[in-house]
């Protein structure tokens, strides 16, 4: 399933993040849905085709913030 959220990165830049989730699988030890892929698709609510320059500037903390926000939204 594909979702989209807006989150602040790089000290306040709002970006649109699109991500996929996989359903929970308690038999495999996954009690909550998991985020399989995420990508930045827009800036300040405007769709952008090329966001590689933002992705290249993201710190590990920004990437972790994005992943955590995606996981929180999915659960």
């Amino acid at each position: 399933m594909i979702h989209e959220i807006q989150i602040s990165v790089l000290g306040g830049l709002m970006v649109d993040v699109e991500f996929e989730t996989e359903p929970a699988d308690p038999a495999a030890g996954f009690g909550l849905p998991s985020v399989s892929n995420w990508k930045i698709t827009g800036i300040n609510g405007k769709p952008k085709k090329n966001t590689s320059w933002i992705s290249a500037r993201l710190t590990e903390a920004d990437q972790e913030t994005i992943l955590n926000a995606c996981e929180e939204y999915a659960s």
Side-chain angles (χ1 to χ4, degrees), residues 5-30:
I5 60 171
Q6 212 175 44
I7 188 165
S8 175
V9 295
L10 299 174
L13 179 65
M14 293 302 292
V15 294
D16 303 319
V17 177
E18 185 178 279
F19 63 98
E20 294 180 51
T21 57
E22 300 296 327
D25 186 0
F30 301 109

Side-chain angles (χ1 to χ4, degrees), residues 23-73:
D25 186 0
F30 301 109
L32 297 172
S34 62
V35 175
S36 57
N37 294 314
W38 63 264
K39 65 180 177 179
I40 296 174
T41 59
I43 304 167
N44 291 325
K46 296 179 182 176
K48 301 291 181 185
K49 291 182 181 179
N50 183 3
T51 58
S52 60
W53 65 272
I54 296 172
S55 298
R57 296 184 72 189
L58 293 178
T59 64
E60 284 186 40
D62 287 322
Q63 293 177 23
E64 187 174 322
T65 298
I66 290 171
L67 182 59
N68 288 341
C70 293
E71 288 174 342
E72 183 177 321
Y73 182 87

